[in-house]
Amino acid sequence: DESGRGVASVESLVLRPVDAGQLNAVGGAARDALFRLEWVDVPGVVAAGGEVAPRTEMVRVVSDGPDVVSDVYDRVLEVLERVQGWVGDEDLAGERLVVVTRGAVDAGEGVEDVAGAAVWGLVRSAQSENPGRLVLLDTDDLDGVDSLLPRVLTLGEEQVVVRSGVVRVPRLGRLLPSGDAPESGVFGSGAVLVTGGVGVLGGLVSRHLVVRHGVEKLVLLSRRGAEAGGAAELRAELEAAGAEVLVEACDVADRG
């Protein structure tokens, strides 16, 4: 650093020749690619040992009520109060609170618990403000959490998914494009909703979705909808490119 102290050391370095054209091609593809969240298996973690710190606590979030909206509010408020109390307790500084859900994360099979998914959104925000204090664990077997918890905590990960005994952790991956063809399928087969969809940025995003990613259905929201300046021209351009476009007047800040 600027004071002369070492901040990193390299124990070994291996060099190999790389063709300049190959390097440029890979760099361009990676630069233009989208990112996505990937759940990567952690081999051997189930067989690992470990002890849970005596002051570690666990909160189970289970929702099975008939009213999904009420369930979401109730579970989120319960966890919010518990998390606020935990991080605000100075006696618990350095200790971890584990929030356990079931089927709240899409690890390839979809989301089963909408309230649990909302809890994940809440706690992930809290994790960014309180690193090392909160752990999210989503499982398909709540009964087996107690035996698995010591092994999961030894990973030091803040977010963990367990499916059929296999432990997975989140990593950032890339969706690399294949040639000049549209990256179809990235956004699924449904309509893509764009807020502020007829503005300058919204227009750029919408064109990119249609041309680059082959999106066939768009819902463009703005406060003025089709009456907004340039809305008709943008819709015509997107439809000419093969997309089905719906322009709606909607203030996303107005719940009603």
Side-chain angles (χ1 to χ4, degrees), residues 42 44-52 96 98-100 135-139 144-163 165-169:
V42 179
V45 67
V46 175
E51 296 290 335
V52 176
R96 288 183 289 184
V98 183
V99 179
V100 181
V135 176
L136 280 165
L137 170 59
D138 188 75
T139 180
V145 169
D146 291 331
S147 61
L148 190 62
L149 187 60
R151 300 148 190 171
V152 168
L153 292 179
T154 59
L155 292 173
E157 297 279 344
E158 291 191 335
Q159 298 163 32
V160 179
V161 163
V162 181
R163 295 291 185 269
V166 178
V167 179
R168 302 173 184 172
V169 294

Side-chain angles (χ1 to χ4, degrees), residues 60-82:
R60 285 181 169 86
V61 179
V62 181
S63 57
D64 53 8
D67 188 340
V68 175
V69 176
S70 295
D71 236 4
V72 170
Y73 277 112
D74 292 343
R75 300 294 85 77
V76 168
L77 288 175
E78 288 172 4
V79 174
L80 174 62
E81 293 177 358
R82 187 69 187 91

Side-chain angles (χ1 to χ4, degrees), residues 3 24 42 71-72 86 94 98 110 138 145 153 164 168 177 193 207 215 221-222 226 229 235 239-240 247:
S3 66
N24 291 334
V42 179
D71 236 4
V72 170
W86 182 267
V98 183
D138 188 75
V145 169
L153 292 179
S164 301
R168 302 173 184 172
L193 184 145
R207 294 183 186 94
V215 171
L221 301 186
S222 72
R235 179 176 181 174
E239 289 178 340
V247 180

